[in-house]
Amino acid sequence: MKYYVLPDENAIGQAVGNLFCDLVRQKANAVLGLATGASPLPVYARMISQCEAGEVSFRDVRTFNLDEYCDLPQAHKNSYRTYMRQELFDKIDINSQNTHFLDGNCSDEFAESERFRQYVKAAGGIDLQLLGIGRNGHIGFNEPSENFTQEPFKVALTPSTIAANSIYFDDIPMPKYAMTMGVGMILRAKQIVLIATGSAKADAVKAMLEGEITPRCPASALRQHPHVVAYFDPSAAALLRK
Ligand code: PGA
């Protein structure tokens, strides 16, 4: 896996935002795999500023988000639909009909998994997938486990993830379950870009790049993909051998 260490999250946001904008300039109806959390924010800021400057249009782009909480109304301020509207979709010229999410409130998780999988397939697959990494090495909400996950599924979130994300929940307890793309589905993306910033990610970054490829560090699976590039700040890269 190729990686770059850039000075800070803004430099990373510019570089990764440019990757997305360049792709969309080459392929107007590109299929983007998007992520939530803190890491993507500077990326989305760059995409917004390029769109505002008239340098790129997202009019024909299709998007699929990695994951969504279960048991949380879609319009709740902490749903990932709300996040994506606030942080990107409402600020660019995307057609909201082209933005797709797993339904965390579905009654049949297996039917929902199949629906989402078929949508991605019908779109021609994901051209470029954005990822963060969890402190425990998760990607999407694929928590450390005994087997690599494949298709979208309902996951019980681990205490580490709940501790990291519960700071965003000031009104209700954080959901304990989510629907997420599986690792196998993430690996079907044609290109993947992963971002990690801050010292809290240093152990996970080291395990991803230098540990064994194991479902106990789901991000380690990315080393099997031919077109992954990662961007770290110096704190996230601090434990790497070189
Ligand atoms: P963060 O989360 O970008 O908010 O640090 C990343 C992740 O948990 O995948």
Side-chain angles (χ1 to χ4, degrees), residues 35-41 66-67 80 83 131-141 143 161 164-165 167-168 194-197 200-201:
T36 51
S39 306
L41 292 175
L66 272 175
D67 45 20
Y80 287 159
Y83 169 107
L131 295 176
I133 182 170
R135 298 171 199 192
N136 59 5
H138 75 202
I139 47 174
F141 273 136
E143 303 286 33
T161 298
N165 289 13
I167 54 164
Y168 298 116
L194 180 142
I195 295 176
T197 58
K201 302 292 174 66

Side-chain angles (χ1 to χ4, degrees), residues 106-116 152-154 179:
C106 61
S107 54
D108 180 343
E109 68 210 66
F110 302 105
E112 176 58 8
S113 169
E114 184 58 13
R115 180 194 71 84
F116 192 80
F153 70 107
K154 181 174 180 173
M179 290 288 295

Side-chain angles (χ1 to χ4, degrees), residues 24-197:
V24 172
R25 278 189 284 266
Q26 283 161 26
K27 182 178 178 184
N29 67 344
V31 180
L32 309 183
L34 299 179
T36 51
S39 306
L41 292 175
V43 178
Y44 296 153
R46 179 69 177 169
M47 292 164 71
I48 292 164
S49 70
Q50 290 256 307
C51 188
E52 283 173 351
E55 286 165 11
V56 65
S57 170
F58 295 93
R59 207 174 38 236
D60 297 324
V61 157
R62 284 86 41 91
T63 69
F64 291 90
N65 262 77
L66 272 175
D67 45 20
E68 179 59 285
Y69 289 117
C70 296
D71 310 314
L72 190 66
Q74 281 182 6
H76 188 272
K77 67 183 174 70
N78 290 117
S79 79
Y80 287 159
R81 280 177 190 264
T82 301
Y83 169 107
M84 289 306 304
R85 276 206 309 274
Q86 288 176 349
E87 304 299 344
L88 185 65
F89 297 156
D90 286 354
K91 298 174 179 168
I92 59 175
D93 60 347
I94 200 164
N95 177 352
S96 61
Q97 308 260 12
N98 290 344
T99 66
H100 303 286
F101 291 82
L102 283 156
D103 180 1
N105 296 313
C106 61
S107 54
D108 180 343
E109 68 210 66
F110 302 105
E112 176 58 8
S113 169
E114 184 58 13
R115 180 194 71 84
F116 192 80
R117 197 178 74 80
Q118 291 298 345
Y119 260 67
V120 172
K121 192 171 167 197
I126 290 173
D127 291 307
L128 180 57
Q129 175 68 55
L130 179 60
L131 295 176
I133 182 170
R135 298 171 199 192
N136 59 5
H138 75 202
I139 47 174
F141 273 136
N142 292 279
E143 303 286 33
S145 68
E146 292 311 310
N147 296 296
F148 281 119
T149 56
Q150 296 300 324
E151 301 309 328
F153 70 107
K154 181 174 180 173
V155 61
L157 301 174
T158 60
S160 155
T161 298
I162 292 172
N165 289 13
S166 56
I167 54 164
Y168 298 116
F169 286 85
D170 53 10
D171 54 346
I172 56 167
M174 183 179 145
K176 304 287 182 289
Y177 293 88
M179 290 288 295
T180 182
M181 288 187 200
V183 172
M185 183 172 200
I186 292 171
L187 292 179
R188 289 202 295 273
K190 290 160 202 157
Q191 289 181 68
I192 298 174
V193 56
L194 180 142
I195 295 176
T197 58

